Structures are given as C-alpha cells and as structure tokens.
Amino acid sequence: MAAKFYSGTSNIELPVRNKQFYPEAFRNKSRLNYYASMFNSVEQNCTFYKVPMPTTIKKWADDVPGDFRFTFKLWREITHQKELEFKPKDVERFMQVIDNAREKKGSLLIQFPPSIQVNKLHKMEYLLSIIRSCDPDKQWDTAVEFRHKSWYMGDVYEMLDKFNMAMVYHDMPASATPTTDPRTKFVFLRFHGPNGGYRGSYTDDYLYEYATYIRDWLEEGKTVYAYFNNTMGDAVKNVNTLNSFLASA
C-alpha cells in the first residue's frame, strides 16, 4: 500500500442524525455509503463487541469506493479476558472473517484494557504471533493500543518490531503514549477527546500541530491512520478540520 493518509471516526459518525437530512443523493443509501462520501476510512469498533458474518464484511466492502480502507478492532473475547486467556481458534476465526474486506483492508486495531500489564508480555507475544501467522503477507497494518503505562519499555518495542506492528499513539490521560519516533512504515493515531472522555472538541491549534506531524510522516513515505473517538463530542468536525489543514498544505 502506497503512503497515504486515512482518516475518519471511531464507528460511523455523521454530521446529521436523521436520514431525512441526508443529501438527496444518499437518502436511499446506507449510513456507510453516505459516510464514505466524506471520509476515506472508518474504525469499525462494532467488531470489538461481536464478530460479524463474513457476508456482512463483504457487503460493507462493496458499499464504499475503491480507495476506502477499513480498520477493524479485535474482538474483546480475545483481548479483554482475565489474565489474557484467549482461544487461538477465536483469533483465527476473526482474521478469516475480516479478510473479506479484500482490497479495502486497512488496519487491525488491538486494544488492551488497563488490567493487562507488562507482566503478561509472554502471553501478549503469543497472541501477536498467532495474528501474524494469520496474516503472513502483512496485508493488515496491525497496531496495538496499550492502556497501562507499564508497556512503554524497550522489550515491548522490540516485540512489536519483531512482528512489524505499530504502537498506537493515543491520548488517554492515564496511559497516553510517550513521544517516540514511529518504528514502522505506518502510523496509527487515536484521539479520545481533549480530556480522554470521548467528549469535547480539539482546538484548531492542536489539530494544526498534528497536521504538521502527519505531513512529515507522509513525506517519509509512511501511511497514516487517524481516528477521532470523541464521538460524544465533535469527532466529525475535528476530522474535517484536520483534513482541511492537510489539504491546504
């Protein structure tokens, strides 16, 4: 995949709540189809709660333009089990299902809860090894989001390097990612709200600063994914503002 900027919201967020306010051309279309007319990617968090049918993934892929990319969040029955006791067959099934995105494959997001700390490093490595074995050609840009600060250490970075996976840059106050240079050919950004509560709106100055970082990464040949998870706030507005700064560069 050539270096490109993919941006959108966490789940499908629209500037209007009711279908009667859609542009006329989209009133008989799906929410996803309308969304894809404005943004070129979406972070599908619904896969965190339930593994879709393969036919559902195919339908989604058919409903968006050719340059659209999907990010899928790994099922919580894998990532959020006590002691990280997951079933390898669940991982394999999940990967087989999302593979139906075909050429619309973007990123795979793996988020762990604060209860999973670095003392589970070996189990984490085992999970990532299974994911990589399901995607040996690295068709998915796989990114890992940690919600506990214990993970930010050299051994963890080396583990991610081994699997060619990225660490998500996010801004949750209790576990915000430290400022480090990206170690992969892609960058994954998640914006959870100015105070980390999925609410509120980012200032233009803040978004402009991130636009400068993104420009630099793109110039280095890196693909960049950016998703706004402040969906109880101004996620749609913030994506549009960030996109406008990059478009005007």
Side-chain angles (χ1 to χ4, degrees), residues 12-186:
I12 299 171
E13 293 294 318
L14 300 174
V16 295
R17 295 294 181 185
N18 194 303
K19 204 162 190 175
Q20 68 182 10
F21 297 110
Y22 285 18
E24 188 170 349
F26 294 97
R27 287 181 187 167
N28 293 320
K29 305 289 186 179
S30 68
R31 294 180 76 249
L32 174 60
N33 188 266
Y34 176 31
Y35 173 95
S37 72
M38 296 177 288
F39 307 120
N40 68 353
S41 189
V42 66
E43 180 189 282
Q44 286 285 44
N45 284 344
C46 58
T47 55
F48 176 71
Y49 299 101
K50 181 181 179 181
V51 182
M53 296 292 291
T55 52
T56 299
I57 302 290
K58 290 178 181 177
K59 181 179 179 181
W60 290 344
D62 289 340
D63 208 19
V64 296
D67 62 349
F68 191 92
R69 295 292 179 268
F70 287 96
T71 285
F72 294 110
K73 189 174 179 180
L74 189 60
W75 190 28
R76 64 181 175 182
E77 292 297 315
I78 298 167
T79 58
H80 283 55
Q81 291 298 311
K82 187 176 180 180
E83 303 296 318
L84 200 53
E85 292 291 345
F86 64 91
K87 298 175 183 176
K89 287 186 178 180
D90 285 342
V91 181
E92 295 165 1
R93 179 165 70 94
F94 185 91
M95 297 300 292
Q96 288 169 0
V97 168
I98 65 171
D99 195 53
N100 287 282
R102 304 186 304 277
E103 73 278 5
K104 313 290 175 59
K105 295 176 182 177
S107 185
L108 170 64
L109 170 63
I110 308 171
Q111 181 207 305
F112 295 98
S115 60
I116 303 297
Q117 301 178 21
V118 77
N119 61 344
K120 300 296 183 294
L121 179 62
H122 293 300
K123 288 188 177 180
M124 171 86 66
E125 186 168 12
Y126 178 46
L127 171 58
L128 299 187
S129 71
I130 296 171
I131 291 171
R132 178 53 68 225
S133 69
C134 294
D135 181 33
D137 297 329
K138 303 179 180 65
Q139 295 182 27
W140 293 99
D141 288 333
T142 302
V144 181
E145 180 175 302
F146 299 115
R147 290 291 181 88
H148 194 274
K149 288 185 175 181
S150 64
W151 289 100
Y152 302 134
M153 57 182 293
D155 288 349
V156 176
Y157 302 153
E158 290 175 8
M159 175 189 67
L160 294 176
D161 289 347
K162 181 173 74 171
F163 295 115
N164 194 30
M165 297 179 183
M167 182 171 63
V168 173
Y169 293 100
H170 73 90
D171 56 2
M172 276 292 190
S175 57
T177 314
T179 303
T180 57
D181 290 330
R183 301 161 72 102
T184 51
K185 292 183 179 180
F186 67 97

Side-chain angles (χ1 to χ4, degrees), residues 10 43 45 73 109 111 145-147 168-173 175-177 188-202 206 227-233 238:
S10 299
E43 180 189 282
N45 284 344
K73 189 174 179 180
L109 170 63
Q111 181 207 305
E145 180 175 302
F146 299 115
R147 290 291 181 88
V168 173
Y169 293 100
H170 73 90
D171 56 2
M172 276 292 190
S175 57
T177 314
F188 196 113
L189 306 171
R190 289 189 93 200
F191 299 94
H192 295 301
N195 298 309
Y198 313 111
R199 302 178 184 274
S201 184
Y202 291 94
Y206 182 91
Y227 300 104
F228 286 82
N229 199 21
N230 54 328
T231 52
M232 291 186 285
N238 291 160

